[in-house]
Amino acid sequence: MNRRDALSRVALILGGTVIGANAFLEGCKPADKKSSDDSSAKPLFAATDAAYLDEIAETIIPATDTPGAKAAKVGAFMTVMVTDCYPEADQKVFIDGMKKLEEASKKKNNKSFMDSSAEERKALLIDIDKEAKDYMASKKNEDPKHYFRMMKELTLLGYFTSEPGATQALRYVAVPGKYEGCVAYKKGDRAWAS
Amino acid sequence: MPENVYDAIVIGSGISGGWAAKELTEKGLKVIMLERGRNIEHVKDYVNANKNPWEFPHRGGRTQQMVHDYPVLKRDYPLNETNLDYWCSDKENPYTEIKRFDWFRGYHVGGRSLMWGRQSYRLGDWDFEANAKEGVGVDWPVRYKEIAPWYDHVERFAGISGSKEGLPELPDGQFLPPMEMTCVEKDVAARIKEKFGGKRKMIIGRTANITVPFTDQGRQNCQFRNKCWLGCPYGAYFSTQSSTLPAAMKTGNLTLRPWSIVTKILYDKDTKRATGVEVLDAESNKTYTYTAKIIFLNASALNSAWVLMNSATDIWPDGLGSSSGELGHNVMDHHLGVGAGGVVDGYEDKYYFGRRANGIYIPRYRNFFGDKRDYLRGFGYQGGGSRGGYSRSAEEVSLGADLKNALVEPGVWTMGIGGFGETLPYHENRIYIDKNTYGDKMEQFNDPVTGKDLGMRPVPDKNGKQRVDKWGLPVLAMDVEYKENEKKMRKDMLSDAIEMLEAAGVKNVQGREGDGTLGRGIHEMGTARMGHDPKTSVLNKFNQVWDAPNVFVTDGAFMTSAGCVNPSLTYMAFTARAVDHAFSELKKQNL
């Protein structure tokens, strides 16, 4: 489709909530930002955070007959995106969100998220996902997004544009060579990655 | 031939400059093409063209550093990770916004021909006659039958894929086989035709992507990767690099000089002819002079006006071509940002293969065929119908294997369209060289309408200095806005989009009314318009500056009205026609 319509049209369909794309299109305050490849700046994330986020991502998109988010290194991807692309206020929501998620785990399952079983993690994140949906539905326009919404958006973006996600969960054809506008589809066929 | 002496000089290497170079060199003239930015070599320098999505660390998005560094580009989609190097630095190339004006520029060999949207439509006589009939601006000194053969000429070489429709409101051209519509687009097109009694039509977009190989140009047909704006390793879309530059080089008559900022056209008041140009080498900061019998000015509409404003100021204080009082005035663009989209039920058993580098087009129907609105002119729509990808919300599923299984299948079909509206030429919409003075202090600049953060700008200061770019050159000030006619048109653009999609059976149709700031259509036009009369226009009917007939301006600056179709094809056609005229005048020794 036309380049200028690509993101905006999808945003339109979903009422401006293109998962993962919001941070790209929203205007942000200019600031001297830390960058993920700038070693002199104090890092936003601790060394262990990528592994922690990997487990959150894997709970959202688990390995099935195709690799999950952890195999796609989505945890590390999230740290890069939050560090480089998020405005400062959203970075804070995200970082605080990791703490809130840990507290919620202790409250619900009496243990840290990392020590929880896959079932316990899933039950917890389903609760938080519901909380995030309720919050997103009622929040004012200028309010920040819910931290779990951010995590989910980044997980989907990071996973489905990763090599395992695009080539194994979806179908990726680097050079289609032809275009057919109207072909048969049967339930179960995987979507094209772009 | 002595050094720095040529038959012709072409200023700028984008769509129209590339065409000027090709046509001039093929007539046997020795030509130098001057480009203000760096060279980008075809294929070799398309550094991201073969990258997979996962090879971009931010998956194509924008970082806060980029947002900080590009206060203009960040205002719309062009600021992105995948082709950032094709957009010029906002900080090195500042300009003054009396009113908000989004100027998205490419300063390199090929210019915006590398990143353009490629949609290619002809103007028709309703466009060429409209100003005269309605008493707007000045009359075009050209009619369709004069330019039609030149449209044929450039379409055959550039390669435009499209469908012959026989529509009275949108002339057909020399088309390569069209791309196919999706199942949903075909159905929506049929329903629009039926519901509106054939008065509104939806057709496949006409695009400068070749659908058959152009072996003689060494170009392969479109591979349907839809990564055009990274530069195409197959040469499958028209650009200076893929098409006109190799043709010009093949003649042995072209010299290409990157890093060459033309600061002025040199003018001889005795012969009333330009004699050459002055060039500032952007790397060494040294000044050079080149001389030639013919000069083609193709620096893009606003920069071509800037060059003229800096030229022959000893004779005309406001520059070469300013004697009419119209140089830099009548700035036009297409106003965008209004449209609608929705969901199409059914078709779960249909899909598509490949990534089509094209969309659908709904030609203008307003103020045609007896339709009469409370505004002049009209608009077309571009859009498409496709199935949702992983980025759909999948709200009903929370997370885990169920979510994954839902998202690995294509989503529901959606259909969306967005309008491209004609902007009238208003004398008071103008650009000029900013001679005001500013201090070192900067202030936050927010859009007065939307409140959007537009970056920092310097504060005027009587004791300050004139604004200059990285090379110490004066900058443009933009005083441009759309007015009542466009505002009224935008209401129709919105309500018609909703009405048409609903009539076509699209569900949950939502309108969208974004800001239509001029500039963001990236179709700047009108700053040196053509006309019949040197008192009211800058150029004559062959794109010659009235006051210097060996200077031809054939980029968007010449446009007397904007039409509502994407204009680049028109620049190509007028450029080829102007070269033909220049060559015949040269032979007659009239230049």
Side-chain angles (χ1 to χ4, degrees):
Chain A
M1 74 178 307
N2 219 333
R3 67 187 159 104
R4 79 169 86 243
D5 290 332
L7 277 172
S8 56
R9 196 174 66 84
V10 182
L12 174 68
I13 303 302
L14 299 178
T17 58
V18 181
I19 289 184
N22 301 40
F24 303 162
L25 289 174
E26 278 168 10
C28 307
K29 289 274 174 298
D32 292 321
K33 301 304 300 180
K34 290 184 274 287
S35 159
S36 59
D37 53 11
D38 178 2
S39 53
S40 66
K42 184 181 179 296
L44 203 55
F45 289 94
T48 51
D49 284 348
Y52 190 94
L53 291 168
D54 259 347
E55 298 304 329
I56 294 174
E58 183 71 13
T59 308
I60 296 169
I61 298 288
T64 51
D65 56 338
T66 57
K70 192 173 164 181
K73 300 187 171 66
V74 168
F77 171 74
M78 283 201 248
T79 64
V80 169
M81 290 297 286
V82 172
T83 305
D84 292 353
C85 301
Y86 273 33
E88 218 165 284
D90 287 349
Q91 288 179 338
K92 187 170 183 322
V93 172
F94 190 95
I95 301 288
D96 290 350
M98 289 178 70
K99 291 184 199 124
K100 285 184 190 164
L101 189 145
E102 181 63 16
E103 283 159 21
S105 175
K106 287 188 173 139
K107 197 168 159 200
K108 184 178 173 78
N109 297 324
N110 289 315
K111 55 184 113 167
S112 142
F113 184 76
M114 290 301 265
D115 294 336
S116 303
S117 69
E119 290 71 30
E120 287 164 338
R121 288 173 182 174
K122 189 175 174 186
L124 173 72
L125 293 192
I126 285 174
D127 286 355
I128 297 176
D129 185 56
K130 182 164 186 322
E131 173 195 310
K133 274 178 189 162
D134 292 346
Y135 169 84
M136 292 298 291
S138 63
K139 84 175 185 72
K140 288 204 271 307
N141 226 357
E142 62 273 22
D143 290 342
K145 273 189 270 191
H146 192 280
Y147 71 85
F148 191 71
R149 178 70 172 223
M150 295 174 177
M151 291 173 181
K152 197 170 168 182
E153 288 178 1
L154 289 173
T155 298
L156 298 186
L157 174 69
Y159 178 71
F160 286 111
T161 57
S162 72
E163 185 165 12
T167 63
Q168 295 182 58
L170 303 176
R171 288 182 285 173
Y172 178 67
V173 186
V175 185
K178 63 174 180 177
Y179 179 73
E180 291 172 326
C182 193
V183 300
Y185 173 82
K186 66 175 193 310
K187 178 83 187 150
D189 287 349
R190 289 166 292 138
W192 303 118
S194 55
Chain B
M1 189 178 274
E3 213 183 337
N4 293 2
V5 177
Y6 292 85
D7 295 325
I9 294 167
V10 177
I11 305 168
S13 64
I15 285 181
S16 64
W19 265 101
K22 171 192 174 295
E23 300 287 303
L24 288 163
T25 53
E26 286 182 346
K27 290 190 184 297
L29 300 185
K30 294 285 178 195
V31 177
I32 185 165
M33 181 156 67
L34 300 167
E35 163 53 49
R36 66 174 295 147
R38 69 183 174 116
N39 194 11
I40 293 180
E41 273 189 51
H42 187 41
V43 185
K44 175 177 149 298
D45 290 336
Y46 303 154
V47 292
N48 286 339
N50 286 313
K51 280 191 181 161
N52 294 303
W54 52 87
E55 293 174 76
F56 295 101
H58 309 94
R59 305 292 154 86
R62 52 177 61 174
T63 65
Q64 288 292 297
Q65 188 64 50
M66 286 160 62
V67 167
H68 179 62
D69 292 344
Y70 292 87
V72 176
L73 205 59
K74 74 170 184 182
R75 299 174 190 178
D76 207 356
Y77 70 88
L79 183 62
N80 82 102
E81 182 180 36
T82 68
N83 72 351
L84 188 63
D85 287 353
Y86 294 170
W87 303 95
C88 87
S89 160
D90 291 336
K91 299 216 157 153
E92 291 180 0
N93 303 283
Y95 61 96
T96 299
E97 297 177 86
I98 305 299
K99 301 190 179 82
R100 177 182 173 183
F101 187 88
D102 297 350
W103 196 17
F104 303 143
R105 298 159 285 173
Y107 287 173
H108 50 253
V109 169
R112 291 179 294 195
S113 80
L114 277 183
M115 312 88 93
W116 70 307
R118 308 171 310 285
Q119 292 289 301
S120 299
Y121 304 94
R122 294 184 176 202
L123 295 177
D125 264 336
W126 42 92
D127 296 307
F128 293 117
E129 290 168 1
N131 279 3
K133 280 187 177 164
E134 296 161 356
V136 172
V138 296
D139 184 25
W140 276 89
V142 175
R143 290 295 179 264
Y144 182 68
K145 70 171 177 6
E146 295 164 71
I147 197 67
W150 296 104
Y151 275 128
D152 290 342
H153 174 74
V154 297
E155 284 165 350
R156 286 194 184 104
F157 188 80
I160 311 294
S161 96
S163 54
K164 289 220 186 234
E165 301 283 346
L167 304 178
E169 69 273 31
L170 188 73
D172 286 333
Q174 304 297 326
F175 296 138
L176 304 173
M179 296 180 189
E180 199 187 356
M181 288 190 187
T182 61
C183 326
V184 158
E185 289 165 351
K186 285 177 189 173
D187 195 51
V188 168
R191 288 196 217 177
I192 287 176
K193 193 175 174 188
E194 182 202 322
K195 299 274 180 179
F196 295 93
K199 286 193 174 164
R200 301 185 193 179
K201 295 118 193 162
M202 189 174 111
I203 64 173
I204 190 68
R206 296 173 175 174
T207 180
N209 292 70
I210 55 175
T211 47
V212 294
F214 271 20
T215 318
D216 53 337
Q217 289 184 36
R219 298 171 58 192
Q220 294 181 60
N221 53 297
C222 182
Q223 299 296 303
F224 296 98
R225 307 181 329 138
N226 197 19
K227 295 184 177 183
C228 311
W229 79 341
L230 305 182
C232 184
Y234 304 91
Y237 72 90
F238 172 88
S239 65
T240 296
Q241 274 86 345
S242 72
S243 192
T244 46
L245 182 58
M249 282 297 185
K250 205 165 80 182
T251 64
N253 292 329
L254 183 71
T255 303
L256 170 64
R257 193 187 195 286
W259 298 120
S260 303
I261 303 173
V262 172
T263 50
K264 64 177 69 158
I265 291 169
L266 304 168
Y267 181 79
D268 180 338
K269 64 176 187 292
D270 297 327
T271 59
K272 296 190 169 54
R273 298 289 185 275
T275 56
V277 299
E278 187 181 283
V279 165
L280 176 66
D281 187 300
E283 286 187 306
S284 71
N285 282 320
K286 286 187 180 146
T287 300
Y288 298 86
T289 298
Y290 291 87
T291 62
K293 300 182 202 91
I294 298 173
I295 293 167
F296 267 72
L297 180 50
N298 302 89
S300 81
L302 307 190
N303 279 327
S304 286
W306 180 93
V307 170
L308 291 172
M309 288 170 188
N310 278 313
S311 305
T313 48
D314 51 336
I315 301 153
W316 300 280
D318 294 325
L320 183 62
S322 66
S323 60
S324 62
E326 297 296 337
L327 179 63
H329 290 262
N330 311 298
V331 177
M332 298 174 288
D333 183 23
H334 292 122
H335 58 97
L336 324 169
V338 179
V343 171
V344 180
D345 291 339
Y347 302 92
E348 286 98 353
D349 59 344
K350 299 290 185 218
Y351 206 18
Y352 37 80
F353 178 82
R355 296 185 290 277
R356 189 183 63 193
N358 191 12
I360 57 84
Y361 190 62
I362 299 174
R364 174 183 159 190
Y365 50 85
R366 283 296 180 201
N367 288 316
F368 275 157
F369 315 124
D371 178 69
K372 185 81 190 82
R373 312 301 296 169
D374 63 347
Y375 56 87
L376 302 173
R377 319 290 165 98
F379 50 88
Y381 289 106
Q382 296 178 23
S386 57
R387 293 191 78 158
Y390 67 86
S391 64
R392 65 187 186 271
S393 46
E395 286 291 334
E396 69 278 11
V397 189
S398 177
L399 47 83
D402 290 347
L403 177 69
K404 185 180 174 189
N405 292 336
L407 292 180
V408 298
E409 292 185 10
V412 295
W413 285 88
T414 60
M415 179 80 213
I417 55 175
F420 282 64
E422 177 162 357
T423 306
L424 294 177
Y426 301 103
H427 178 80
E428 58 274 31
N429 270 352
R430 67 169 187 138
I431 58 166
Y432 52 91
I433 289 176
D434 188 0
K435 294 185 175 148
N436 294 313
T437 53
Y438 300 87
D440 295 330
K441 224 177 110 193
M442 304 286 275
E443 64 179 4
Q444 176 66 34
F445 178 33
N446 291 332
D447 188 306
V449 182
T450 61
K452 206 169 171 177
D453 163 23
L454 303 179
M456 306 295 282
R457 65 175 178 185
V459 182
D461 178 350
K462 271 206 302 276
N463 303 315
K465 286 189 292 233
Q466 200 179 320
R467 272 187 108 174
V468 290
D469 68 10
K470 184 192 170 186
W471 295 272
L473 299 168
V475 306
L476 286 171
M478 321 296 197
D479 188 358
V480 179
E481 64 184 351
Y482 63 82
K483 298 180 191 289
E484 286 313 305
N485 197 67
E486 292 73 28
K487 285 178 189 164
K488 285 180 189 164
M489 189 188 296
R490 292 171 77 77
K491 287 184 185 159
D492 262 10
M493 278 163 73
L494 178 65
S495 58
D496 283 11
I498 296 168
E499 177 195 35
M500 251 187 296
L501 292 183
E502 284 180 344
V506 179
K507 302 279 162 37
N508 301 324
V509 175
Q510 291 176 45
R512 174 181 53 145
E513 212 174 352
D515 62 62
T517 309
L518 292 184
R520 71 192 312 170
I522 325 186
H523 295 164
E524 310 97 74
M525 293 174 270
T527 47
R529 71 180 177 197
M530 301 173 105
H532 296 283
D533 183 348
K535 291 192 195 67
T536 56
S537 58
V538 180
L539 309 175
N540 73 7
K541 67 179 290 182
F542 288 108
N543 299 72
Q544 295 166 280
V545 175
W546 287 110
D547 295 323
N550 64 338
V551 178
F552 295 77
V553 185
T554 69
D555 56 23
F558 74 79
M559 297 286 279
T560 310
S561 71
C564 70
V565 300
N566 305 55
S568 299
L569 185 72
T570 298
Y571 308 164
M572 297 187 207
F574 275 82
T575 301
R577 176 174 171 271
V579 169
D580 186 69
H581 183 74
F583 187 65
S584 101
E585 289 290 284
L586 189 66
K587 278 196 301 192
K588 292 179 207 153
Q589 301 193 315
N590 288 340
L591 299 183

